Amino acid sequence: MYKIVVENSGTSFECGEEDTLLRAALRAGIAFPYECNVGQCGSCRFEVLEGEVRSLWAEAPALTPRDHRKGLKLGCQSRPVSDCRIKVRLDQSCLPLFQPLARDAELVSIRDVTHDMREFSFKTAEQARFAPGQYMLLHLPGVPGPRAYSMCSQPNEEGEWRFLIKRVPEGKGSEYLFDHIRPGQKITLDGPYGLAYFREDIDREIVCVAGGSGLAPLISIATAAAYHPAFKERRIRFFFGGRGPADICGDDYLRLLPGFGDRITFHSSISVPEMDPNNMWVGPVGFIHESVEGLLGDKLQDYEYYIAGPPPMLQATLQMLAIKHKVNVEHIHFDRFF
Ligand SMILES: Cc1cc2nc3c(=O)[nH]c(=O)nc-3n(C[C@H](O)[C@H](O)[C@H](O)COP(=O)(O)OP(=O)(O)OC[C@H]3O[C@@H](n4cnc5c(N)ncnc54)[C@H](O)[C@@H]3O)c2cc1C
Ligand code: FES
């Protein structure tokens, strides 16, 4: 174990040589800033003032040439090789709700959801403790770096964790999950992580906006809200955007919820009409943020938003909500699925 002192914060934590600075800090209840945990967003940048760290992924996209020149490192990609003194601006909004832990998990079942999306169900000896909307890191044999996947299920005492995973062409992690892992095999799950979780104390109706692989955390949030006593009378509007009709899914999960079709509604759109050569699609064509804008119109400022999906979809939705319609960013919670 190495001792990591955080400059000007009066705080320090221990980090094992197999852990990363970010995750060891969060395990110790220290609010190290982060978002993606996988080297893409740059929120976890820090400076080493004394001591030495080793980078797990020197080419991680989050660090710009300027960051490299300034000697900045990524907390999610750095392991200590000595005691260290570091400079990082702690952010109380990143304080973990549940202590992140690494644990063994056995794959129980795999189910096809669409042509390229599957539900994977894992079981751990420990309870599944997380807030709906959060994600875990999956350590997969032979795949460099863990992969982040959000739970589509609810917290439970039985230790069941369900994920909705989209196959990414040439993607090492999703390829391992789709083509190699079999029920009975074990992997390591580490978490929970993530800041775009269900806020049960906010007195507003909910709008979920998912694109592509962003379905899982929003299914979990919509399910939690559907059964929450304080949300019994509130509407939940669920938007899902895919490229073609074969990508559209999610309503199967929502149909099981009390109030579906009444206070819980599902709205989908496709963005690539060429993927519907026989003109079978009868719903809207366009980007999903356009459907949100079209349906909610001048009421856009009234809702609590949960958004997940690929970065361009996130960017377009945030631009529409926060910049064009001046929705207060405090009411927008999102995860970019890098
Ligand atoms: C917070 C979050 C939640 C997500 N939730 C979901 C979900 O619920 N469902 C879903 O389908 N997808 C989800 N994703 C996307 C998912 O994590 C993967 O990026 C996606 O499945 C592609 O992974 P891949 O291994 O197939 O592709 P690849 O192209 O092989 O890998 C891409 C991912 O691996 C990381 N990576 C690549 N090389 C390295 C390396 N050498 N060292 C360390 N890391 C590396 C990248 O940062 C990137 O995250 C989520 C992403 C994030 C950030
Ligand atoms: S949290 Fe480290 S780059 Fe995103």
Side-chain angles (χ1 to χ4, degrees), residues 123-164:
K123 181 108 174 63
T124 57
E126 305 81 6
Q127 298 180 5
R129 296 183 73 221
F130 61 90
Q134 288 195 296
Y135 65 89
M136 299 292 278
L137 295 175
L138 277 64
H139 291 263
L140 304 168
V143 178
R147 297 295 186 264
Y149 292 109
S150 313
M151 283 66 80
C152 63
S153 48
Q154 296 298 293
N156 61 84
E157 291 183 359
E158 293 73 33
E160 186 202 36
W161 308 79
R162 285 191 283 121
F163 303 92
L164 273 173

Side-chain angles (χ1 to χ4, degrees), residues 210-231:
S213 57
L215 194 62
L218 303 184
I219 293 286
S220 183
I221 288 173
T223 306
Y227 287 104
H228 196 293
F231 284 74

Side-chain angles (χ1 to χ4, degrees), residues 1-78:
M1 284 283 183
Y2 294 108
K3 183 172 180 187
I4 314 296
V5 175
V6 183
E7 180 79 348
N8 291 333
S9 72
T11 191
S12 65
F13 61 95
E14 305 235 294
C15 182
E17 50 193 21
E18 296 294 305
D19 212 347
T20 64
L21 261 64
L22 167 65
R23 301 199 268 277
L26 296 175
R27 293 185 217 290
I30 291 170
F32 206 113
Y34 79 105
E35 181 192 333
C36 73
N37 235 313
V38 291
Q40 298 272 359
C41 73
S43 309
C44 64
R45 274 175 295 201
F46 72 100
E47 201 180 330
V48 181
L49 302 175
E50 247 179 73
E52 206 183 325
V53 300
R54 179 169 71 83
S55 174
L56 292 172
W57 189 18
E59 310 80 35
L63 284 181
T64 62
R66 188 159 177 263
D67 292 332
H68 283 293
R69 278 198 303 278
K70 288 169 77 181
L72 296 181
K73 312 278 181 201
L74 294 174
C76 67
Q77 303 298 327
S78 296

Side-chain angles (χ1 to χ4, degrees), residues 268-285:
S268 53
S269 71
I270 62 164
S271 56
V272 185
E274 295 74 26
M275 292 180 77
D276 179 30
N278 301 324
N279 292 323
M280 302 295 282
W281 179 251
V282 291
V285 173

Side-chain angles (χ1 to χ4, degrees), residues 57 59 138-147 149 165-181:
W57 189 18
E59 310 80 35
L138 277 64
H139 291 263
L140 304 168
V143 178
R147 297 295 186 264
Y149 292 109
I165 298 179
K166 200 171 172 68
R167 185 196 275 277
V168 172
E170 319 268 312
K172 292 194 181 70
S174 58
E175 184 179 275
Y176 176 84
L177 287 159
F178 274 70
D179 297 339
H180 298 291
I181 194 168

Side-chain angles (χ1 to χ4, degrees), residues 127-328:
Q127 298 180 5
R129 296 183 73 221
F130 61 90
Q134 288 195 296
Y135 65 89
M136 299 292 278
L137 295 175
L138 277 64
H139 291 263
L140 304 168
V143 178
R147 297 295 186 264
Y149 292 109
S150 313
M151 283 66 80
C152 63
S153 48
Q154 296 298 293
N156 61 84
E157 291 183 359
E158 293 73 33
E160 186 202 36
W161 308 79
R162 285 191 283 121
F163 303 92
L164 273 173
I165 298 179
K166 200 171 172 68
R167 185 196 275 277
V168 172
E170 319 268 312
K172 292 194 181 70
S174 58
E175 184 179 275
Y176 176 84
L177 287 159
F178 274 70
D179 297 339
H180 298 291
I181 194 168
R182 295 284 170 265
Q185 277 176 248
K186 286 192 173 160
I187 60 162
T188 302
L189 286 185
D190 181 8
Y193 299 102
L195 312 174
Y197 51 82
F198 175 42
R199 268 59 174 183
E200 52 184 35
D201 50 346
I202 292 182
D203 185 14
R204 288 173 151 234
E205 294 194 343
I206 287 181
V207 175
C208 295
V209 191
S213 57
L215 194 62
L218 303 184
I219 293 286
S220 183
I221 288 173
T223 306
Y227 287 104
H228 196 293
F231 284 74
K232 228 164 64 190
E233 307 294 328
R234 286 192 223 157
R235 290 204 61 174
I236 302 169
R237 294 174 176 84
F238 200 105
F239 291 83
F240 179 70
R243 285 161 51 78
D247 298 326
I248 301 301
C249 60
D251 51 335
D252 282 2
Y253 288 88
L254 300 177
R255 263 173 223 290
L256 305 174
L257 302 179
F260 180 79
D262 174 19
R263 69 188 180 96
I264 303 176
T265 48
F266 180 76
H267 314 268
S268 53
S269 71
I270 62 164
S271 56
V272 185
E274 295 74 26
M275 292 180 77
D276 179 30
N278 301 324
N279 292 323
M280 302 295 282
W281 179 251
V282 291
V285 173
F287 292 113
I288 196 62
H289 69 276
E290 296 167 344
S291 295
V292 177
E293 188 178 25
L295 198 84
L296 303 181
D298 56 6
K299 298 255 183 313
L300 277 162
Q301 294 192 353
D302 297 348
Y303 304 100
E304 198 70 10
Y305 292 91
Y306 297 93
I307 314 172
M313 171 261 168
L314 246 303
Q315 184 63 29
T317 310
L318 292 176
Q319 170 102 12
M320 183 276 288
L321 290 174
I323 297 178
K324 186 167 172 195
H325 291 282
K326 311 270 180 286
V327 175
N328 186 331

